[in-house]
Amino acid sequence: MDPLVHLIDGPRARSAFTLRVVMSGAWGVHIRDEAALAVVVVTDGRVWLRREGAEPVLTGPGDVLLVRGPEPYVVSGGPDTAPTTVVHADQRCVGLDGEEVRLTMSHGVGTWGNDPEGTDRMIIGAYADTGEIGRLALSALPPLAVLPAGSVDASVVALLTREITTARVAQSALNDRLLDCLLVMAVRSWLEAHPDSAPSWLSARHDPVAARALDLVHERPHHPWTLDSLARECAVSRATLAARFQRAVGSPPMTYLRTWRLTLACDLLLAEPGLGLEPLAARVGYGSAFASSAAFKKHLGTSPSAYRRATAEDRPDPRARAGRRRLDAPVEAPVYG
C-alpha cells in the first residue's frame, strides 16, 4: 500500500470551516485565523495571495492553493491592494476599525463578500487541526503550494460549492468529506508534479524492500517488530534491510518504527479521550503503559496524559464550531466560523 494512503488519512475535516467568497473592486482580506491548513479554489476572476517574505502569487479560475498555517496571509484583487477586512482566530470577521462586518457582507447561506455578484470568486476550506499524522503528510508540502487548473476534479468543486450554499440536512458532514476529497486530490497532484521535492519516505516505493517494510510498519504498528523479524518478512538480511531502508527513507527502520508508533499515539490520545494508557500502549506496540509513556516523554518531552490535556485545551471544539455555522439561520449565524 502506498505510504501516502496512511499519512494523508490523518487530516479529516470535522465541522471544518467552508465558505464561498464573492468580491469585486479593490478588495483585500487579511487571514489571521491560525488554521493548520487552508484549501482555496478560485472559481472565477483572479485572486492574489501574499505572505510575508514571499512574492505575491496570481491565480485564476480552477487554480488551487494549499496554504499551511498558522502564519497569516492576504488574499486580494490586486498584488498590492491593502486589506480592508481581517479574519481572526475565532473566525470573527472585522473591518479595519474593529467593527464586525459579518452581517453587512453576508449574502445568504455560506456566501460572504463585498458584492453578491462579485467577479472574483473562490471556495475556502480551513482545517483547524490536521492531527499529528496529517502533519507528517503535509510536511511534504511547501508553506504555499499553487496547483494549476485541472489539478482537482472540477465536478467536486462544483458539488462543494452547491453544498456550501444550500441549507440541507447533514450539510456539514458532506462538506467535510468533499473538502477532504479536494485536499487528497491536491496533495497527490502536487507530489506527482514535484517528485524531486517529495520527502524520501514518500518516494520509497522505488525500492521494493523499503516499500515492503513501510507497509508492514504502517499496517501492523502493534506487532513486536525487531530488525530481524522485519528483515525476514522482507526476505532480506538485516544488513540489507538496514542499508536500503536508510537510503530510501532517510532513517533506520527501528527509528522510523518508533516515530510512527508515537505519532499514532498522539492521534489516539486526542481521537479517543477515554482510551487508557495500557490499551494505548498495546495499540501502538509497547508492552506496558510505563514503556510507552517513557518513550513518549523522551520523544516529545511530556507525558501522554499531559499531552492529551494540553492539546485538548488548545484545540477548538468541533461541536462548538459546528454550532457557530448553523445554516438554518444563515443571517443570524456568523459567516466566518
Side-chain angles (χ1 to χ4, degrees):
M1 184 179 292
D2 191 332
L4 185 59
V5 172
H6 296 280
L7 296 169
I8 200 64
D9 200 39
R12 289 182 176 175
R14 299 175 181 87
S15 296
F17 163 67
T18 53
L19 189 70
R20 174 176 176 257
V21 177
V22 288
M23 293 288 191
S24 63
W27 65 272
V29 182
H30 197 178
I31 310 293
R32 307 185 63 88
D33 62 357
E34 300 180 6
L37 174 72
V39 182
V40 181
V41 184
V42 179
T43 56
D44 295 281
R46 64 179 193 173
V47 175
W48 289 83
L49 187 140
R50 313 196 305 266
R51 296 192 90 163
E52 185 175 353
E55 291 295 319
V57 175
L58 174 62
T59 58
D63 291 345
V64 180
L65 297 162
L66 298 178
V67 189
R68 288 174 51 193
E71 291 77 13
Y73 59 97
V74 174
V75 287
S76 61
D80 52 8
T81 305
T84 57
T85 311
V86 181
V87 178
H88 292 285
D90 56 359
Q91 300 299 345
R92 186 170 57 92
C93 188
V94 301
L96 296 182
D97 57 2
E99 293 295 318
E100 292 273 359
V101 296
R102 63 179 178 85
L103 292 178
T104 57
M105 297 183 71
S106 174
H107 303 295
V109 177
T111 302
W112 179 92
N114 67 2
D115 181 357
E117 304 299 326
T119 55
D120 298 331
R121 304 177 187 179
M122 71 194 94
I123 296 297
I124 297 180
Y127 290 80
D129 185 359
T130 62
E132 292 294 332
I133 297 175
R135 273 189 281 275
L136 279 181
L138 295 175
S139 66
L141 298 172
L144 172 62
V146 182
L147 297 94
S151 299
V152 300
D153 192 325
S155 63
V156 177
V157 177
L159 181 56
L160 178 58
T161 302
R162 188 181 73 192
E163 288 298 322
I164 289 174
T165 56
T166 305
R168 301 183 67 185
V169 174
Q171 182 202 42
S172 175
L174 185 54
N175 284 353
D176 288 348
R177 300 293 74 78
L178 291 170
L179 181 59
D180 288 343
C181 286
L182 284 180
L183 174 61
V184 173
M185 287 178 181
V187 172
R188 182 178 62 184
S189 180
W190 193 91
L191 291 174
E192 289 173 349
H194 302 81
D196 295 336
S197 301
S200 56
W201 44 263
L202 280 179
S203 56
R205 301 303 296 179
H206 301 302
D207 186 320
V209 171
R212 171 65 174 163
L214 283 171
D215 284 348
L216 291 167
V217 165
H218 289 158
E219 293 173 5
R220 296 159 60 192
H222 57 279
H223 187 79
W225 294 112
T226 63
L227 187 58
D228 280 333
S229 63
L230 195 58
R232 282 196 301 271
E233 289 283 349
C234 295
V236 296
S237 68
R238 285 168 39 110
T240 298
L241 173 62
R244 292 176 66 166
F245 196 96
Q246 175 76 46
R247 183 167 57 249
V249 179
S251 67
M254 294 298 101
T255 299
Y256 183 91
L257 172 61
R258 181 179 66 251
T259 301
W260 177 246
R261 284 172 166 170
L262 294 172
T263 297
L264 284 173
C266 289
D267 242 22
L268 287 170
L269 283 166
L270 301 181
E272 302 183 28
L275 184 65
L277 295 185
E278 286 290 349
L280 172 68
R283 294 266 291 273
V284 298
Y286 285 94
S288 68
F290 177 81
S292 66
S293 295
F296 195 97
K297 189 167 186 178
K298 183 177 180 180
H299 183 68
L300 292 175
T302 187
S303 70
S305 298
Y307 175 88
R308 174 184 270 162
R309 287 194 302 270
T311 310
E313 290 171 358
D314 291 339
R315 296 180 83 188
D317 184 343
R319 293 168 299 178
R321 290 168 55 234
R324 291 202 303 270
R325 295 169 59 252
R326 283 199 337 271
L327 296 178
D328 55 341
V331 176
E332 302 290 334
V335 178
Y336 260 95

